[in-house]
Amino acid sequence: QIDKYLYAMRLSDETLIDIMARFRREMKNGLSRDFNPTAAVKMLPTFVRSIPDGSEKGDFIALDLGGSYFRILRVKVSHEKKQTVQMESEIYNTPEDIMHGSGTRLFDHVAECLGDFMEKQQIKDKKLPVGFTFSFPCRQSKLDEGILITWTKRFKASGVEGADVVRLLNRAIKKRGDYDADIMAVVNDTVGTMMTCGFDDQRCEVGLIIGTGTNACYMEEMRHIDLVEGDEGRMCINTEWGAFGDDGSLEDIRTEFDREIDRGSLNPGKQLFEKMVSGLYMGELVRLILVKMAKEGLLFEGRITPELLTKGKFETKHVSAIEKSKEGLNKAKEILTRLGVEPSHEDCIAVQHVCTIVSFRSANLVASTLGAILNQLRDNKGVGRLRTTVGVDGSLYKMHPQYARRLHKTTRRLVPDSEVRFLLSESGSGKGAAMVTAVAYRLSEQHRLIDETLAEFKLTHEQLLQVKKRMRAEMEAGLKKKTHETAKVKMLPTFVRSTPDGTENGDFLALDLGGTNFRVLLVKIRSGKRRTVEMHNKIYAIPIEVMQGTGEELFDHIVTCISDFLDYMGIKGARLPLGFTFSFPCKQTSLDAGILLNWTKGFKATDCEGEDVVYLLREGIKRREEFDLDVVAVVNDTVGTMMTCAYEDPNCEIGLIVGTGSNACYMEEMRNIEMVDGEQGRMCVNTEWGAFGDNGCLDDIRTIYDKAVDDYSLNAGKQRYEKMISGMYLGEIVRNILIDFTKRGFLFRGQISETLKTRHIFETKFLSQIERDSWRALLGSPEIILVSGKEFLIRGGQGFLKGNERIKKDFSAEMPGASLEDVSVQPVAALRSANAAGPPSPTAVVSFRSFSKIMHQTVKDLAPNCDVTFLLSEDGSGKGAALITAVGCRLRDAEQ
């Protein structure tokens, strides 16, 4: 009979799954910038971005205001052998007249209680970090701010809604003047619960309260939170699910009793879901049902007493007592007798059944909304099966004998693909507020130390001007005969005396050697009204054993590749003019002779340094005895880049490369080049600026990380400037920073993975991906820094990685700007991005969207009197080698 009477309160799984889908839609609306203003479920960002990682320590105060009792705790987190938490707390009463009085009175009361607590603890002279658990809906724009949206749970203090509760509390503390406090965080009790449980179980990413009120929070992906800038990492969202249904979305399951409860409440039309499930209303719901059943003669032989008609006389604790399995019926008789209704045994059974239906409905509804959150977490992670922990607190969950079991069972039935552990918060949400504060304190301390360490990478305008001045001095030393031998920036004459003039014509071969890829090109240049350049090329790999074998093996490999290309193009019989882009420091004695000074970029082939690379190439061709070529020019890739761009823009007189390596060349007046006879005209000078600083002139701006990278490189002590800025080394610098910060406990819980210890595992392309795609790019290559497959180790470092990578990149972009200005920048500078190891892939300038922007701006700042245009070399330095060869042939023909 009762089942039939309360049929509307018995919800089928089908209905619960439908409610789950409705709540998921409400969550989406609350997270959306467009729909949030009208959304019932507000999905409030809390600015809590991390759960405890076990390294927190310190002395903290926690305030917990959310009901008729106000709790203050002192939480000491210490590290000896393991992390321990000591807590001392005091409970203070919050009288009804203060709850319903003015906001000033309420916060004066809180400040007075805090003063009393600090007096008892003898810590009035200390300014301890404070965490404030404020269990009401607040809008936050930062961790230490909470704008009260609306009071709930019988609170009605005036002048607080729309105000920042942290400011109100600070004002009350200041007014007293007998102590000081640093309120670092204001958190909801659900967040406090999640953090308390997160301290014991790091899988905990949901906080759930089922007590006087009800609410939940969970860790949401930043990319889904429209209301907060940025899409890296996660943030805890306070759902404020008590308001679910305030827009009418639950009308079909609300009963006449729910509507009566709402009409008689302090906030009619609001918190409708909370009124269906929470402890503040459950006893009253049962009382209203009992009154109606008695009026209809279904209970107590129709007897209705004044006590039964009195609001609040049947409490939720009575529901819990009546549902106890053994003594429940006796408790029912006792409670009903106190209400004067003289119950029969059948009445007691019936009342117990009513209590069961009402409390079971509550557990089922909470399981539905919790199920929606679990599905969101599972989808966010992209996993088939979710493993997670839900931290739970609240008197109804704790005290009701059947509630927890029913909630667990229904949740697991509604979301079978989630493995959920429910963890009871033993120490309440107050400890959680202290843990949020401890995490905030740890993070602010870590950020201070990180900023301090990374400050060395942030070069000031004055420092950059110093770099510019030093580069100018090094350039002059390299150009002068007297100091050339000892100069580190070699300023090598290239014997390229002219840029293209548009009359170049013919078919040319070009070779491009400068990394692990070797390119052979056929370049067809046609002059006339419609100038055209047609290119065909093939890329060949150079195995590491060839790069570091003998010179003969290297040049035999190069000739084999050329032979294959000539066959491929069907031009083996023709003796074509050839330009050789050789991207290593060479001392040239003519356009077609280049003495290799030293290998860079991982090359170590023997018997090459000190030799003419054109001679080595010609010897290789002779050994092959298959074809002959006219080697007209050997050029550096920077010179090739300048020539490529000069073909498009005759004003181009600088070539710049920031890729695997870094270098620049420019057109210098012959009168300044003492190493070559003649005063007339100009000649392109290859600066070989990678060696800038090899004499120690940059030691004041080299960091410990730069030194570590240099010490373990193939050519320690050489190419120091290149190692500070180029693509081959940026990732390695970041890897060294990650290791150092992990050792210092800032990242990955202090655990360094074996993979992270591997040199060059953190490639420069990862920096590009992090900058472009945010920290999720790391998950594309989780093996880099994953320790024991624990996802949080990546998550823990995300904020740092983005910030650190940007500082390093800014530094790397500013430095070429400082050096480039000293190449006496004039109208057009050519800029290209060299190919990195492996298949051609963009590095430095192209990959970092803001790298080129920073560099351009720095050049502008440091060379305000120069009007510079940067032109990207689309076709690489191979086309440039062909153009130099074409210019060389034109000049050679003119001489004949």
Side-chain angles (χ1 to χ4, degrees):
Q1 197 178 8
I2 292 168
D3 282 348
K4 195 175 174 186
Y5 193 78
L6 294 179
Y7 175 77
M9 282 193 167
R10 297 179 70 85
L11 305 172
S12 67
D13 277 5
E14 193 182 347
T15 304
L16 294 177
I17 287 165
D18 181 42
I19 293 166
M20 198 156 74
R22 292 184 212 181
F23 187 66
R24 189 84 185 266
R25 283 194 296 275
E26 293 290 327
M27 287 169 68
K28 195 175 177 186
N29 287 343
L31 289 170
S32 151
R33 184 180 282 109
D34 296 335
F35 296 105
N36 177 273
T38 55
V41 178
K42 283 299 178 193
M43 303 295 284
L44 302 169
T46 65
F47 294 83
V48 171
R49 298 169 187 265
S50 170
I51 56 171
D53 73 353
S55 67
E56 292 76 18
K57 58 184 176 198
D59 199 351
F60 307 95
I61 297 282
L63 313 179
D64 193 351
L65 178 67
S68 50
Y69 294 102
F70 169 53
R71 201 155 68 114
I72 305 179
L73 303 91
R74 184 180 181 186
V75 182
K76 290 181 191 172
V77 187
S78 61
H79 274 279
E80 279 157 21
K81 285 185 180 173
K82 62 172 191 169
Q83 194 175 40
T84 56
V85 178
Q86 277 180 290
M87 292 198 300
E88 295 173 73
S89 70
E90 194 87 31
I91 291 174
Y92 296 88
N93 194 24
T94 311
E96 195 89 6
D97 61 319
I98 286 179
M99 287 162 69
H100 295 168
S102 71
T104 306
R105 267 192 78 198
L106 173 64
F107 285 98
D108 283 350
H109 173 69
V110 173
E112 186 186 331
C113 297
L114 180 56
D116 175 74
F117 181 79
M118 290 177 85
E119 182 89 55
K120 287 176 181 169
Q121 290 285 321
Q122 298 179 334
I123 50 172
K124 263 194 167 176
D125 56 330
K126 294 182 179 177
K127 188 181 181 182
L128 293 182
V130 176
F132 186 13
T133 300
F134 187 72
S135 312
F136 305 94
C138 282
R139 197 173 294 287
Q140 291 184 264
S141 64
K142 51 188 179 179
L143 190 59
D144 60 353
E145 170 199 83
I147 311 292
L148 177 65
I149 296 171
T150 180
W151 282 118
T152 57
K153 295 178 279 195
R154 291 208 299 262
F155 273 72
K156 266 291 178 190
S158 61
V160 185
E161 289 180 357
D164 176 10
V165 295
V166 175
R167 188 174 290 172
L168 294 175
L169 179 55
N170 272 330
R171 193 187 296 159
I173 291 169
K174 205 171 181 180
K175 193 162 66 179
R176 288 179 60 86
D178 58 337
Y179 67 89
D180 203 357
D182 180 13
I183 300 168
M184 290 191 75
V186 59
V187 298
N188 189 277
D189 51 351
T190 30
V191 182
T193 297
M194 183 187 78
M195 293 298 273
T196 300
C197 296
F199 181 76
D200 299 316
D201 180 345
Q202 293 196 316
R203 282 193 185 278
C204 184
E205 50 193 344
V206 181
L208 172 62
I209 299 260
I210 315 157
T212 311
T214 183
N215 195 11
C217 69
Y218 72 102
M219 295 301 289
E220 177 59 270
E221 298 294 323
M222 281 291 290
R223 66 182 185 271
H224 295 151
I225 307 171
D226 283 359
L227 301 173
V228 181
E229 288 302 312
D231 62 357
E232 302 84 36
R234 307 202 298 171
M235 183 182 283
C236 181
I237 288 289
N238 165 19
T239 64
E240 285 299 336
W241 76 12
F244 178 32
D246 287 8
D247 57 357
S249 60
L250 292 178
E251 284 312 297
D252 56 328
I253 63 158
R254 287 176 75 227
T255 64
E256 58 182 296
F257 308 110
D258 296 310
R259 292 187 174 91
E260 196 174 338
I261 285 267
D262 180 44
R263 281 195 298 274
S265 69
L266 281 169
N267 54 351
K270 290 181 177 176
Q271 300 293 106
L272 297 183
F273 181 71
E274 184 168 78
K275 287 168 186 169
M276 293 169 81
V277 303
S278 80
L280 185 60
Y281 305 98
M282 188 176 284
E284 186 62 9
L285 262 177
V286 170
R287 186 189 72 81
L288 292 173
I289 294 166
L290 299 185
V291 167
K292 188 172 184 201
M293 287 178 75
K295 279 180 179 174
E296 292 179 18
L298 297 170
L299 280 177
F300 318 133
E301 297 176 350
R303 282 190 300 277
I304 297 169
T305 65
E307 289 86 353
L308 186 61
L309 289 172
T310 305
K311 185 179 175 181
K313 274 289 183 183
F314 197 98
E315 297 175 52
T316 300
K317 67 181 180 185
H318 298 149
V319 176
S320 298
I322 289 168
E323 283 198 66
K324 283 184 177 168
S325 50
K326 286 179 183 170
E327 66 226 61
L329 290 175
N330 289 336
K331 287 285 180 189
K333 189 175 176 68
E334 199 180 296
I335 290 158
L336 294 170
T337 302
R338 280 206 300 270
L339 293 174
V341 292
E342 298 173 25
S344 66
H345 183 66
E346 286 72 26
D347 286 335
C348 290
I349 291 171
V351 169
Q352 189 181 53
H353 199 50
V354 169
C355 289
T356 300
I357 288 171
V358 171
S359 65
F360 217 130
R361 181 185 73 155
S362 168
N364 283 343
L365 286 171
V366 170
S368 290
T369 46
L370 178 61
I373 288 175
L374 295 172
N375 282 341
Q376 178 84 351
L377 284 172
R378 193 195 63 220
D379 292 351
N380 284 350
K381 291 181 182 185
V383 291
R385 187 166 182 78
L386 175 73
R387 280 187 69 197
T388 194
T389 298
V390 177
V392 200
D393 200 358
S395 51
L396 184 57
Y397 182 88
K398 284 179 176 177
M399 303 301 185
H400 190 288
Q402 316 292 338
Y403 197 96
R405 186 180 55 80
R406 289 170 187 163
L407 172 68
H408 302 172
K409 200 172 174 184
T410 308
T411 303
R412 287 172 182 139
R413 203 170 64 244
L414 294 178
V415 280
D417 43 12
S418 292
E419 199 176 305
V420 188
R421 179 187 181 210
F422 288 87
L423 183 59
L424 185 63
S425 167
E426 300 292 353
S427 3
S429 53
K431 176 183 168 185
M435 293 317 301
V436 172
T437 308
V439 170
Y441 188 73
R442 165 173 64 81
L443 293 177
S444 69
E445 192 59 16
Q446 283 182 5
H447 282 139
R448 187 184 65 75
L449 292 168
I450 286 168
D451 288 346
E452 212 172 81
T453 307
L454 295 180
E456 290 180 68
F457 288 103
K458 296 178 182 176
L459 298 181
T460 64
H461 186 72
E462 288 66 35
Q463 282 175 308
L464 291 170
L465 286 172
Q466 270 300 312
V467 172
K468 171 181 149 180
K469 188 179 170 185
R470 292 171 200 174
M471 178 65 182
R472 189 64 179 261
E474 292 295 311
M475 287 167 66
E476 284 170 10
L479 288 169
K480 287 185 168 37
K481 196 174 272 184
K482 192 169 66 177
T483 49
H484 178 81
E485 277 308 309
T486 55
K488 294 299 179 186
V489 179
K490 282 298 178 191
M491 304 298 288
L492 303 168
T494 64
F495 294 86
V496 171
R497 297 169 188 268
S498 167
T499 51
D501 68 358
T503 63
E504 292 74 20
N505 197 66
D507 293 356
F508 305 91
L509 270 186
L511 312 180
D512 192 352
L513 176 68
T516 48
N517 287 333
F518 168 59
R519 213 154 54 115
V520 186
L521 305 92
L522 172 64
V523 183
K524 298 181 175 186
I525 302 171
R526 300 292 176 262
S527 59
K529 279 186 181 176
R530 289 188 61 198
R531 293 189 310 162
T532 59
V533 177
E534 185 187 324
M535 294 200 299
H536 305 270
N537 75 85
K538 207 168 174 189
I539 293 169
Y540 300 90
I542 298 189
I544 191 95
E545 60 272 16
V546 174
M547 286 166 68
Q548 297 178 8
T550 66
E552 198 168 288
E553 285 169 345
L554 174 62
F555 281 92
D556 282 350
H557 179 75
I558 288 168
V559 171
T560 303
C561 297
I562 297 169
S563 174
D564 175 78
F565 182 76
L566 295 174
D567 281 338
Y568 172 70
M569 295 303 297
I571 51 171
K572 215 167 208 175
R575 186 175 185 267
L576 293 176
L578 178 138
F580 186 9
T581 301
F582 189 74
S583 309
F584 304 92
C586 281
K587 183 176 182 177
Q588 286 187 252
T589 51
S590 65
L591 188 59
D592 64 347
I595 313 297
L596 175 63
L597 297 178
N598 58 277
W599 284 118
T600 57
K601 293 180 274 196
F603 276 73
K604 273 283 182 187
T606 58
D607 307 322
C608 295
E609 290 178 358
E611 298 294 328
D612 175 10
V613 294
V614 175
Y615 171 77
L616 295 176
L617 178 62
R618 284 174 177 149
E619 286 301 299
I621 293 169
K622 273 184 197 168
R623 281 195 298 276
R624 185 86 183 181
E625 294 181 342
E626 271 186 27
F627 55 87
D628 194 15
L629 296 170
D630 175 16
V631 185
V632 175
V634 59
V635 298
N636 187 277
D637 52 352
T638 14
V639 184
T641 296
M642 182 187 77
M643 294 297 271
T644 301
C645 292
Y647 189 71
E648 305 300 327
D649 184 334
N651 287 321
C652 182
E653 47 193 357
I654 297 173
L656 168 66
I657 290 199
V658 194
T660 308
S662 180
N663 195 12
C665 68
Y666 70 103
M667 296 301 290
E668 179 60 272
E669 299 298 319
M670 281 295 293
R671 64 178 182 273
N672 295 331
I673 308 171
E674 294 184 7
M675 302 301 294
V676 181
D677 293 335
E679 296 274 311
Q680 298 305 307
R682 302 200 298 170
M683 182 181 285
C684 180
V685 167
N686 166 19
T687 66
E688 284 300 337
W689 77 11
F692 179 31
D694 287 6
N695 58 0
C697 71
L698 293 179
D699 282 0
D700 58 328
I701 61 165
R702 286 175 77 227
T703 67
I704 54 168
Y705 310 110
D706 295 307
K707 287 166 189 161
V709 168
D710 181 35
D711 289 345
Y712 288 98
S713 66
L714 282 169
N715 55 349
K718 292 180 178 177
Q719 299 294 107
R720 287 179 178 180
Y721 179 66
E722 182 169 79
K723 287 168 189 168
M724 293 167 80
I725 65 168
S726 77
M728 188 165 179
Y729 301 99
L730 281 193
E732 188 60 6
I733 291 170
V734 171
R735 188 186 70 86
N736 276 278
I737 296 171
L738 295 184
I739 286 174
D740 179 39
F741 282 7
T742 307
K743 281 178 183 169
R744 290 160 70 183
F746 301 160
L747 292 174
F748 318 135
R749 300 190 68 211
Q751 297 177 52
I752 302 173
S753 68
E754 284 306 311
T755 335
L756 188 56
K757 290 177 189 171
T758 310
R759 284 176 51 229
H760 301 292
I761 194 78
F762 200 99
E763 297 173 47
T764 299
K765 69 180 179 185
F766 297 145
L767 274 69
S768 312
Q769 289 165 357
I770 294 164
E771 175 67 11
R772 186 178 63 246
D773 302 329
S774 87
W775 76 282
R776 285 190 305 282
L778 279 173
L779 298 178
S781 302
E783 71 280 2
I784 310 161
I785 52 176
L786 211 54
V787 182
S788 315
K790 294 178 184 172
E791 179 203 342
F792 67 82
L793 294 174
I794 288 180
R795 204 167 58 228
Q798 77 223 12
F800 156 73
L801 279 168
K802 189 78 186 261
N804 167 46
E805 167 269 309
R806 189 174 287 122
I807 289 167
K808 183 64 209 155
K809 180 209 59 193
D810 289 358
F811 169 86
S812 173
E814 285 167 346
M815 291 283 280
S819 310
L820 187 62
E821 197 280 329
D822 272 301
V823 184
S824 309
V825 178
Q826 295 195 11
V828 179
L831 172 64
R832 97 154 211 191
S833 168
N835 283 339
S841 62
T843 58
V845 175
V846 170
S847 298
F848 293 153
R849 285 178 292 182
S850 51
F851 185 105
S852 50
K853 199 188 293 179
I854 294 164
M855 197 189 75
H856 298 175
Q857 187 57 50
T858 308
V859 170
K860 200 174 178 182
D861 294 345
L862 298 176
N865 300 325
C866 300
D867 183 11
V868 188
T869 302
F870 287 87
L871 184 61
L872 187 65
S873 166
E874 302 290 354
D875 303 311
S877 52
K879 175 181 171 183
L883 285 163
I884 291 167
T885 305
V887 171
C889 289
R890 171 167 60 79
L891 296 176
R892 189 172 65 183
D893 293 347
E895 282 169 15
Q896 289 169 359

